[in-house]
Amino acid sequence: MSGPLLVLVGPMGVGKSTVGQLLAERLKAAYRDTDEDIVAEQGRSIADIFVDEGEPAFRAIEKRAVHRALAEHDGVLALGGGAVLDPDTRALLAGHRVVYLSMDVEEAVKRTGLNTARPLLAVNPRKQWRELMDARRHLYEEVATAVVATDGRTPDEVTEAALDALELKEA
């Protein structure tokens, strides 16, 4: 199988970056985050892209970044929370080990504070987070090889659960 060793998907604030870096360390692999790729390429924050150009423009940029990373990267790859919205991206993920990191709304509140730095959660964050998850949960599940709940777990515990779920051994 070419491409990433494993791909992490899930909602904003679930810990994809933290767990992704831990997985990369444990597997002695490189780590890459498509959100970081987008910020580096665009020279501005994701929130600024949303404000300046709108969500459709951001999703087009995101799709290109994800497709490029899936083709180029052979380590641990973390995708932005909305990357699974694109059907072409979901089709590309079909050939990969994908871990869906899940959490409930109360955990999301604790972790992110559901603050306004998240452009999709600017008004009534709890309600919007629930609506986002209602729209995305089945997409995360569709692409997932394994689902790992993060609620009440430390990053190390989530990392261990992901390794176990994929039956991967540390390098």
Side-chain angles (χ1 to χ4, degrees), residues 48-162:
D48 285 346
I49 298 168
F50 264 86
V51 169
D52 295 344
E53 298 182 41
E55 185 175 0
F58 171 76
R59 294 295 172 209
I61 294 165
E62 179 180 53
K63 178 178 178 174
R64 289 190 303 274
V66 169
H67 290 219
R68 187 169 44 249
L70 286 169
E72 296 172 357
H73 188 65
D74 63 359
V76 175
L77 179 64
L79 304 186
V84 298
L85 294 170
D86 180 71
D88 295 333
T89 297
R90 292 195 308 276
L92 277 180
L93 288 171
H96 298 280
R97 283 187 199 102
V98 179
V99 177
Y100 162 32
L101 299 180
S102 68
M103 69 179 169
D104 67 23
V105 70
E106 296 313 316
E107 189 78 7
V109 169
K110 278 191 270 186
R111 289 190 191 180
T112 67
L114 294 182
N115 61 34
T116 55
R118 308 284 188 170
L120 291 178
L121 301 177
V123 180
N124 195 347
R126 282 177 191 251
K127 178 176 181 271
Q128 288 180 301
W129 192 89
R130 281 192 185 96
E131 289 171 0
L132 279 175
M133 284 308 299
D134 288 346
R136 295 177 181 180
R137 184 175 292 107
H138 71 284
L139 300 175
Y140 293 136
E141 291 169 350
E142 175 187 321
V143 300
T145 308
V147 178
V148 175
T150 64
D151 304 282
R153 287 175 151 172
T154 67
D156 283 325
E157 290 168 337
V158 174
T159 299
E160 195 61 42

